[in-house]
Amino acid sequence: MSRPSRAFPGALLLAVALAGCSGIQTPLDPAGDQAALSDVIWRTMLWVCGFMYLLVLGFLGWALWRARRRRGAEAPPAVGHTQAEPALERSLTGWAALIVLGLTGLTVASFIVDARLTREAPNPLHVKVTANQWWWEVEYSGQPSDRQVVTANELHLPAGRPARIELRANDVIHSFWVPNLSGKEDLIPGRVNRLTVTPRRVGVFRGQCAEFCGLQHAKMALDVEVQDPAAFEAWRAHQIQPAADPGTPSTLLGRQVFLGKACSLCHRIAGTDAGGVTGPDLTHLAARRTIAAGTLPNGRSALAAWIADPQGIKPGTTMPRVTLTAKELNALVDYLETLR
Ligand code: CUA
């Protein structure tokens, strides 16, 4: 077996470090104004502190070098600070001034960034995000319509327009974090927190609950799709529509199963009698990327597996196992797949 090259660990470390600089869940690749501000302050702190650190190392190296040179000299070094060393005093004074200047600069910069992050944006899109163990409810309000848009685990935002997000929690404290768009903000039961995000780049990003909130905290993700404004309006117009009626015997049976079994007690499907509100609204379930808050990719087999054994896939979830025959399960999945 050949020995691994010495350069290998270094190259691996560099690759890992650089891999963190882009992607759909990183603050180092900002796709919105607020994340860009955080990125600026982060880089400023990195450069200022990095520069100071190198100066300290340089000074330490110089002091060691000087002590070694003195040891080689004839006269033994004086113990203690016996006489003034003008050069040393000057450099220490300079160093103290540099520290004061650097810290003051960083403090002022962080105040400026903080003020800009909390600034109210004109004409924002209003969105309500409610955290639950362990999924996200997303509601769009403020537009005249016969039906409010309610979805789950997927946040759509128009690029270039600020979104004012109201954050609530139904059970315990969670934290809303979409690293490419903004910093974190807690969702606290009995309180409304607000966060403004102004996405600039079209794309799909990944949000994640950032506060430990119980057994399935790690499976509490949120897809964020930033669209150009026309595509966003088209999406919203479609979401306002109620679910289409089933058109085949199997999907008809699937809807009967949904309404006849426990499903409709917890889930709502607009256009049907299913009006439960403790679980996610499923009116346009099939159009989402994932199910169970990012736990599984959305699709026929994942839906069937999830309905058949939710506790096996996400132990602790409030979704109960509903006893269904194979035919009923198949028909139910057929029906859910029509909810585009
Ligand atoms: Cu919700 Cu962690």
Side-chain angles (χ1 to χ4, degrees), residues 20 27 31 47 49-50 80 108 123 149 191 275 291 296-297 314 322 332:
W47 286 114
C49 297
V108 170
N123 183 32
V149 170
R191 231 197 106 99
I291 55 173
L296 297 171
K314 198 168 175 180
V322 179
L332 181 57

Side-chain angles (χ1 to χ4, degrees), residues 166-230:
E166 274 187 25
L167 301 164
R168 295 158 206 265
N170 271 338
D171 33 47
V172 298
I173 299 177
H174 304 261
S175 179
F176 177 91
W177 191 32
V178 187
N180 296 72
L181 296 184
S182 83
K184 299 169 187 174
E185 186 75 50
D186 277 4
L187 304 95
I188 300 166
R191 231 197 106 99
V192 180
N193 279 347
R194 289 178 179 83
L195 181 73
T196 300
V197 301
T198 313
R200 293 287 171 193
R201 197 167 80 219
V202 168
V204 177
F205 305 100
R206 191 172 184 275
Q208 165 72 45
C209 179
E211 173 94 24
F212 180 72
C213 55
L215 196 56
Q216 295 298 338
H217 156 70
K219 287 182 180 165
M220 189 168 167
L222 176 75
D223 285 318
V224 181
E225 185 166 348
V226 178
Q227 298 170 292
D228 68 65

